[in-house]
Amino acid sequence: MPGASDAGTPRAEAHSASYFSLLRGRSGLRDAPVDFCIPANPYFPTPEVFELLQQNLTTILKYYPSDAGAITAELASLLGMQSQTLVMGNGSTELITWIDHLLVRESIAVPVPTFGRWTDQPLETGKRVDMYRLPEAQGFALDTDDFVRFIRARGSRAAVICNPSNPDGGFLRRTQVVDLLDRLADLDLVVVDESFIDFVDEEVDPSVADEAALRSNVVVLKSLGKNFGLHGIRFGYMVANPALAGTVRRMLPKWNLNSFAETVVFLMKEHVRSYQESLRLVAADRRSMFQQLSSLPGLKVYPSQGNFLLVRLPDGKDGVALRDHLLAVHNLHVRECGNKLGSSSRFLRFAVRPRQDVNRLTEGLRSFLYNSGQNRAATAALTPTAITAPPPAYRTDTVAAQQSSYRTDTVAAQQSSYRTDTVAAQSSYRADTAAPPQSPYRTDTVAPSPSPYRADALAPSPSPYRDSGTPPPSPYRTDTAASAYRQEPIAPPPPSYRPEPATPSAYRPEGPAYRPEGSAYRPEGYATPAPAVTETPVYRMEPPRREGTQGYPDDPFVVGGDDPRHGRLDPLDLSTRWTFGEDTSPFRALGDGRGDGSRGYDRRS
């Protein structure tokens, strides 16, 4: 069967470096790379929407958001759907996680390559993932008939498709998807991931969300972050019949959405027209970008209905080297797909961007693909071995006298968890100035930009962790001669909640207590007052010991005094003494500590 394949071994990392990681160590947003990696909407939100968010930033950050139910009701009104069929999550990946935990039982069939969480998530929970390889010769198009045969042959109990597909942007028309749902009606679950469906212009109404609201085994997933160009807000939603939706909704926190998500959802009614215009502009840019990239000899560009394009490099060209070249020489961030199951490093995915950005991309591609000599010279000039390496966040310089907040002085014998020894081999947090490790995301050519974690070598700043021979004063320990926190050799005062026997306590009144004996209560005096305590009290509950207690198996869940053998905490026993210290674990407080020499304290973990 052409689709049957193991699709390779899962990679350790299924995603590229975050945009924030690229900005660390740079001088600021002026040096930020042009992002062709993250498929965001470049035309939405509009400047007007960003201005409204900025004006209300203090309120958004300072106050709690509404609960998820209120935000979901507003989104349902915006979409013209019933709120009981919607579930909002903190990003679509939160919903994928709960769909896997709650609705996927044994196995799931997934076409690959695809979005990494659809394979990684069920694998992490021990499910069998039946991977159906999309044929490269057919442009990664999904043959629904062959996919159904694959599911029957493998015995998969659930299935997922992405429409449009990620990373190639392949698209199934609505009638094809509905037909697939009909043929898979006997499965436990069928998921249609429509995270990029708003960018489709081949069909007016391609979504099957209305079908999901009525069918018993269908879930449609949507990503508002991708559509609105606001990945950082982390909000998405799923559509399903009320029973399936309720199953997932009950497991989510009541306040799982932040105030930014709420603000954007409530703003959308006033900006629907500008959002639709942004989708039209993205579609126009996609067509233009497809033509520009297709003009490059040897570069295969796959048709797409998403806001991204998948390309295959000519024979002999490696995507990792191209990715590094584009970032180092042209300051462009792209997605190399070698860590996607069913793909290889010959494939790269480019987010759709305006024409002026695409011109820079095509220039970078030409310099790498067709000017190999110049490319090697330019890349060599920017490799870490040719210039001084930029300091990582936790580096300690062995030559300069600089002092970072995580560095201990080389003179001191003390070694902190972030220090690399000047004599020992370098650690994973240290960049050796002689042979620094190569970073694929490095762009500084001659003079690295200063890092916020590195102090100037000419003017070292004092570090709270530096040991220069005399330890610095600490608010928690001072000299024995004069100290507000440690006095020697005077013994520490007794704790306020466990007084000396002669001192009456407001928390332990003198007088009779009542202890249950059968069905009646009889007054009984307290036991002998506790002896004087000088050590720091610990968390434990000490029930009074009964006479004639026999040995019995440990059972941390038995609480009460009905059985005289127990000798444990009685919830109605007012004579029980409570002391407070470190350990508050409820189950540790239930045992009697037999075997470790302590009373009323269970040390089992």
Side-chain angles (χ1 to χ4, degrees):
M1 195 178 302
S5 173
D6 292 334
T9 304
R11 304 293 184 92
E13 294 292 337
H15 301 279
S16 58
S18 70
Y19 196 73
F20 283 100
S21 68
L22 301 183
L23 296 180
R24 298 188 186 106
R26 292 172 176 257
S27 59
L29 291 179
R30 293 181 180 178
D31 295 333
V34 177
D35 185 22
F36 281 93
C37 178
I38 306 302
N41 185 340
Y43 299 106
F44 195 86
T46 62
E48 180 185 1
V49 175
F50 277 121
E51 179 65 24
L52 290 173
L53 293 175
Q54 186 174 3
Q55 291 176 0
N56 294 276
L57 185 61
T58 301
T59 302
I60 293 171
L61 294 177
K62 188 173 182 180
Y63 295 99
Y64 287 115
S66 303
D67 61 72
I71 304 174
T72 303
E74 176 66 17
L75 179 64
S77 174
L78 177 67
L79 300 174
M81 304 187 72
Q82 295 177 324
S83 60
Q84 61 264 40
T85 65
L86 298 183
V87 182
M88 293 195 70
N90 192 342
S92 59
T93 51
E94 180 182 49
L95 298 174
I96 292 174
T97 301
W98 284 110
I99 288 171
D100 170 59
H101 279 284
L102 302 173
L103 306 179
V104 179
R105 295 190 176 95
E106 301 173 1
S107 57
I108 184 169
V110 184
V112 294
T114 188
F115 177 52
R117 292 312 299 167
W118 284 122
T119 54
D120 297 349
Q121 175 60 43
L123 285 173
E124 291 168 3
T125 54
K127 313 290 175 38
R128 191 184 82 237
V129 179
D130 299 326
M131 299 183 213
Y132 174 86
R133 185 187 290 274
L134 295 171
E136 179 185 341
Q138 300 176 19
F140 298 103
L142 176 63
D143 184 334
T144 56
D145 293 336
D146 193 55
F147 186 47
V148 171
R149 287 193 294 269
F150 172 83
I151 292 172
R152 301 308 182 194
R154 292 295 181 94
S156 309
R157 295 306 308 156
V160 60
I161 64 169
C162 295
N163 195 38
S165 181
N166 178 11
D168 58 279
F171 171 67
L172 294 175
R173 300 183 71 86
R174 174 184 165 88
T175 54
Q176 294 176 281
V177 179
V178 172
D179 177 69
L180 182 63
L181 298 180
D182 290 338
R183 298 166 68 180
L184 300 179
D186 61 312
L187 298 188
D188 297 334
L189 180 70
V190 180
V191 180
V192 183
D193 188 339
E194 295 184 347
S195 293
F196 299 99
I197 205 163
D198 281 11
F199 299 104
V200 171
D201 65 347
E202 188 175 305
E203 191 172 9
V204 176
D205 188 14
S207 176
V208 294
D210 57 333
E211 291 285 335
L214 302 177
R215 295 177 180 252
S216 61
N217 71 331
V218 177
V219 168
V220 167
L221 195 69
K222 305 268 193 174
S223 173
L224 295 175
K226 295 179 177 67
N227 297 337
F228 295 166
L230 294 170
H231 294 269
I233 290 183
R234 308 300 304 147
F235 59 161
Y237 68 97
M238 58 172 275
V239 183
N241 73 71
L244 285 179
T247 299
V248 177
R249 186 185 301 111
R250 284 189 293 270
M251 298 304 298
L252 295 174
K254 189 176 180 63
W255 284 276
N256 67 323
L257 302 173
N258 57 59
S259 298
F260 275 108
E262 176 177 12
T263 304
V264 172
V265 169
F266 277 81
L267 281 175
M268 277 305 298
K269 280 187 176 179
E270 304 172 6
H271 301 276
V272 172
R273 182 172 298 180
S274 60
Y275 173 64
Q276 293 174 344
E277 175 64 14
S278 74
L279 300 178
R280 187 190 66 79
L281 294 173
V282 170
D285 284 346
R286 181 177 60 221
R287 291 189 292 269
S288 173
M289 184 175 176
F290 181 87
Q291 294 174 354
Q292 287 181 269
L293 295 177
S294 298
S295 66
L296 299 178
L299 191 69
K300 170 67 176 178
V301 187
Y302 295 90
S304 170
Q305 282 290 290
N307 59 337
F308 48 84
L309 293 172
L310 182 72
V311 302
R312 186 189 67 196
L313 300 180
D315 293 340
K317 300 298 182 180
D318 180 63
V320 175
L322 173 59
R323 178 199 65 192
D324 297 345
H325 169 78
L326 291 176
L327 185 61
V329 179
H330 301 275
N331 204 23
L332 304 175
H333 183 213
V334 301
R335 176 65 160 98
E336 179 267 324
C337 297
N339 58 1
K340 279 186 173 291
L341 295 172
S343 181
S344 72
S345 61
R346 286 186 62 191
F347 294 90
L348 292 95
R349 187 192 66 192
F350 301 137
V352 171
R353 293 193 62 88
R355 189 177 185 88
Q356 60 270 23
D357 293 336
V358 179
N359 290 338
R360 291 180 57 182
L361 176 63
T362 55
E363 178 185 352
L365 291 172
R366 289 180 186 276
S367 68
F368 180 86
L369 298 176
Y370 315 122
N371 299 320
S372 57
Q374 281 186 331
N375 169 47
R376 283 194 297 268
T379 305
L382 294 170
T383 55
T385 57
I387 59 174
T388 303
Y394 302 109
R395 176 191 179 228
T396 59
D397 197 339
T398 60
V399 179
Q402 69 178 43
Q403 196 81 34
S404 74
S405 61
Y406 295 102
R407 178 194 177 223
T408 57
D409 196 274
T410 56
V411 180
Q414 169 186 358
Q415 179 115 12
S416 76
S417 60
Y418 294 101
R419 176 188 177 229
T420 56
D421 195 271
T422 58
V423 178
Q426 70 183 34
S427 73
S428 59
Y429 293 100
R430 176 188 175 197
D432 196 315
T433 56
Q438 183 171 356
S439 170
Y441 300 106
R442 179 176 181 185
T443 60
D444 49 334
T445 57
V446 177
S449 57
S451 166
Y453 298 100
R454 179 179 180 182
D456 197 319
L458 299 179
S461 59
S463 168
Y465 300 98
R466 177 178 181 180
D467 187 357
S468 58
T470 303
S474 168
Y476 301 103
R477 181 177 179 178
T478 57
D479 294 335
T480 57
S483 171
Y485 298 96
R486 181 175 178 181
Q487 299 177 353
E488 295 179 357
I490 302 174
S496 59
Y497 293 102
R498 195 170 178 184
E500 297 293 335
T503 305
S505 169
Y507 297 97
R508 189 178 171 192
E510 299 297 332
Y514 290 87
R515 301 177 60 183
E517 187 176 14
S519 59
Y521 291 83
R522 63 183 178 84
E524 181 178 271
Y526 281 106
T528 305
V533 177
T534 58
E535 72 277 10
T536 303
V538 299
Y539 273 118
R540 63 188 185 190
M541 296 182 289
E542 299 183 3
R545 308 290 293 184
R546 291 184 173 88
E547 296 294 335
T549 300
Q550 303 297 326
Y552 56 92
D554 290 337
D555 184 2
F557 297 96
V558 175
V559 181
D562 296 344
D563 191 335
R565 298 175 302 165
H566 288 172
R568 301 197 180 187
L569 175 64
D570 187 338
L572 298 178
D573 189 347
L574 301 181
S575 66
T576 298
R577 298 194 303 272
W578 295 72
T579 60
F580 299 85
E582 294 182 0
D583 198 321
T584 60
S585 174
F587 295 116
R588 289 178 179 271
L590 298 180
D592 62 353
R594 204 185 318 271
D596 62 0
S598 64
R599 297 180 58 199
Y601 188 78
D602 190 352
R603 296 186 182 276
R604 292 171 296 178
S605 59

